[in-house]
């Protein structure tokens, strides 16, 4: 009898696990990236055909758009938030050859180092396509620290454009060779920018961070670079997210080193400084790289849930006008979705909707964002 009782209990527990697993699998199916192998097959549920399922999803998408969300084809995949009008004006001016407008645009942000980095990077991306205006700026002001900084970041942008964003196995040997040569030149340009810079400015050292990734600085050398940055400005968010990339397994570290760095960064921040996004970013990197991790369970681990709670507290304490909050909201939308906190996820989706050029969306197709958003909206909208 005892044996039968144990057997029955085991079967009951197994049935429970199957039911629970079916729920997770059903939710996972909403993510196109995770079920690409199922494309074009007959949808088993209810005997619907793939065509009928596509029609159902189209109706659902239209209903979500009717609620005020942006249609998939209209999503901006380049930007995490709307481009500020003053940035657009400055970029249009330099494209027309007015380098002085670009110089004034960077200098206008003063010692807001996060903003200075963003403006320098925006100009560098334009110069990587056509640098005639930058060459004119450097010729007119050869000792201009800002011009040297934009030039250094342009060299970096050109190198990474050659390398591309694909993984190593999909990057040719010739790409790597040229990439390395260009990074060595960029390193020299960066050191020149550091020599000319205001001693208080961390940005010339921040722009060296992707060089450290590409050239493979040893950990000790990277630590020296990091000290140069944090000695000048210890809590620039972009500096921390760039450092996290260096410490990731895909570059020069490991999951353990990346998570250790992320937790230390988060612990160093005060509420509202948004450094709590570092552990979330580290978990995304880990889940993307470790094939055996399933997001429907990994993102529900107690330590991950605790990191999300800390991030929500951090977000609540932040200045509502701080544009950096959107970077945390993108991550929170993804984590809350996987944690089945759909109402909270929808709140974040409403803040970020329309602009998805941010982690975690840029690691996967646009449809991943739409599927996660539409799932969460459907779950909290009766009758949808």
């Amino acid at each position: 009898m005892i044996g039968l009782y144990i057997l029955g209990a085991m079967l009951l527990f197994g049935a429970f696990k199957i039911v629970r697993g079916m729920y997770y699998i059903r939710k996972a199916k909403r993510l196109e990236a995770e079920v690409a192998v199922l494309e074009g097959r007959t949808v088993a549920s209810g005997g619907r055909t793939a065509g009928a399922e596509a029609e159902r999803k189209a109706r659902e998408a239209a209903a979500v758009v009717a609620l005020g969300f942006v249609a998939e084809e209209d999503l901006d995949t380049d930007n995490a938030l709307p481009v500020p009008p003053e940035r657009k004006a400055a970029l249009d001016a330099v494209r027309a050859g007015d380098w002085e407008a670009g110089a004034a645009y960077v200098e206008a942000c003063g010692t807001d180092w996060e903003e200075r980095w963003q403006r320098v990077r925006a100009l560098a991306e334009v110069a990587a396509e056509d640098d005639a205006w930058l060459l004119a700026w450097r010729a007119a002001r050869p000792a201009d620290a800002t011009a040297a900084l934009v030039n250094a970041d342009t060299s970096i942008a050109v190198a990474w454009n050659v390398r591309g964003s694909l993984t190593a196995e999909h990057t040719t040997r010739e790409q790597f060779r040229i990439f390395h040569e260009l990074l060595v030149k960029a390193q020299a340009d960066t050191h020149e920018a550091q020599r000319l810079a205001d001693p208080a400015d961390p940005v010339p050292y921040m722009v060296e961070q992707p060089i450290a990734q590409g050239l493979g600085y040893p950990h000790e050398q990277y630590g020296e670079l990091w000290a140069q940055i944090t000695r000048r400005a210890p809590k620039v968010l972009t500096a921390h997210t760039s450092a996290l990339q260096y410490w990731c397994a895909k570059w020069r570290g490991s999951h353990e080193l990346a998570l250790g760095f992320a937790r230390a960064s988060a612990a160093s921040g005060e509420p509202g400084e948004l450094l709590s996004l570092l552990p979330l970013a580290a978990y995304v990197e880990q889940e993307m790289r470790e094939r055996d991790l399933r997001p429907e369970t990994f993102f529900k681990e107690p330590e991950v849930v605790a990191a999300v709670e800390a991030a929500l507290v951090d977000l609540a304490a932040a200045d509502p006008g701080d544009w950096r909050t959107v970077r945390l909201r993108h991550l929170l939308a993804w984590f809350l979705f996987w944690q089945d906190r759909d109402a909270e996820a929808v709140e974040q989706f409403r803040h970020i909707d329309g602009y998805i050029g941010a982690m975690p969306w840029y690691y996967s197709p646009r449809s991943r964002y739409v599927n996660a958003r539409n799932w969460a909206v459907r779950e909290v909208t009766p009758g949808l």
Side-chain angles (χ1 to χ4, degrees):
M1 289 295 293
I2 293 176
L4 290 174
Y5 174 79
I6 293 173
L7 178 61
M10 290 175 64
L11 290 172
L12 182 62
F13 180 67
F16 168 74
K17 288 176 67 177
I18 290 171
V19 171
R20 184 179 63 178
M22 288 175 64
Y23 168 77
Y24 289 143
I25 292 169
R26 184 172 65 92
K27 186 159 188 174
K29 284 182 178 179
R30 303 295 298 173
L31 294 174
E32 187 173 295
E34 277 73 30
V35 293
V37 294
L38 300 181
E39 291 282 330
R41 295 184 184 177
T42 301
V43 177
S45 178
R48 293 191 297 265
T49 65
E53 175 67 2
E55 183 179 345
R56 184 195 65 76
K57 291 177 73 172
R59 289 197 304 269
E60 179 184 279
V64 171
V65 170
L67 292 173
F69 292 93
V70 175
E72 180 174 354
E73 61 271 19
D74 295 329
L75 291 169
D76 183 332
T77 59
D78 295 325
N79 299 288
L81 71 169
V83 178
E86 61 271 20
R87 179 166 302 171
K88 184 178 185 304
L91 299 184
D92 287 344
V94 297
R95 287 190 182 99
D98 184 2
W99 60 263
E100 291 179 298
Y105 175 62
V106 176
E107 294 307 318
C109 65
T111 58
D112 182 340
W113 305 124
E114 180 78 59
E115 184 63 25
R116 181 172 174 82
W117 182 89
Q118 295 287 339
R119 295 184 183 202
V120 166
R121 174 51 54 89
L123 291 177
E125 289 174 349
V126 174
E129 299 173 359
D130 182 355
D131 65 351
W133 59 272
L134 177 56
L135 294 174
W137 183 3
R138 299 218 72 200
R141 298 181 185 174
D144 188 320
T146 302
L149 179 58
V150 174
N151 180 65
D153 206 28
T154 299
S155 296
I156 295 165
V158 169
W160 283 91
N161 286 346
V162 167
R163 192 236 181 262
S165 59
L166 297 179
T167 55
E169 61 267 27
H170 296 108
T171 304
T172 68
R173 191 172 293 179
E174 182 69 0
Q175 279 178 284
F176 275 123
R177 184 187 66 78
I178 299 173
F179 173 59
H180 186 273
E181 290 178 359
L182 291 173
L183 277 187
V184 171
K185 175 189 179 299
Q187 185 183 50
D189 291 339
T190 299
H191 290 166
E192 180 192 13
Q194 292 166 0
R195 180 178 59 80
L196 293 172
D198 180 333
D201 186 357
V203 180
Y205 299 90
M206 289 172 59
V207 300
E208 190 175 349
Q209 289 178 284
I211 297 176
Q213 282 177 226
L215 293 183
Y217 284 14
H219 291 178
E220 182 178 355
Q221 185 179 358
Y222 191 84
E224 293 170 358
L225 174 62
W226 184 242
Q228 293 281 13
I229 296 169
T230 55
R231 186 159 51 242
R232 290 166 171 81
K235 297 181 181 180
V236 180
L237 186 58
T238 294
H240 284 260
T241 55
S242 294
L244 178 65
Q245 290 299 305
Y246 172 87
W247 291 113
C248 280
K250 67 183 180 183
W251 285 109
R252 307 303 170 182
S254 64
H255 295 316
E256 293 74 20
L257 288 171
L259 189 55
F261 173 81
R263 286 171 172 164
S265 290
S268 73
E270 298 294 329
E273 291 182 331
L274 305 175
L275 290 171
S276 62
L277 75 76
L278 269 296
L280 302 188
Y283 289 129
V284 169
E285 293 287 356
Q286 182 178 357
E287 188 273 325
M288 291 291 293
R289 190 170 180 85
E290 292 190 359
R291 300 291 183 178
D292 59 334
L293 290 181
R294 296 184 62 83
E296 63 268 24
T297 53
F298 177 64
F299 290 143
K300 286 190 174 85
E301 292 290 337
E303 66 180 54
V304 180
V305 173
V308 169
E309 292 299 333
L312 288 168
V313 171
D314 197 8
L315 179 63
D319 179 353
D322 186 343
W323 65 266
R324 300 175 309 154
T325 58
V326 76
R327 297 177 66 180
L328 182 53
R329 290 186 184 279
H330 280 282
L331 285 163
L332 282 171
W334 183 238
F335 279 78
L336 291 166
F337 160 74
W338 279 114
Q339 291 175 6
D340 302 324
R341 300 162 68 173
D342 295 302
E344 293 172 273
V346 170
E347 180 184 354
Q348 303 306 326
F349 281 121
R350 287 198 177 278
H351 281 282
I352 64 177
D353 197 48
Y355 298 85
I356 59 172
M359 180 183 274
W361 319 117
Y362 53 48
Y363 281 146
S364 52
R366 179 184 298 186
S367 57
R368 169 175 281 198
Y369 173 85
V370 173
N371 287 330
R373 181 197 66 185
N374 290 4
W375 172 279
V377 171
R378 190 189 69 186
E379 290 298 294
V380 301
T381 307
L384 184 64

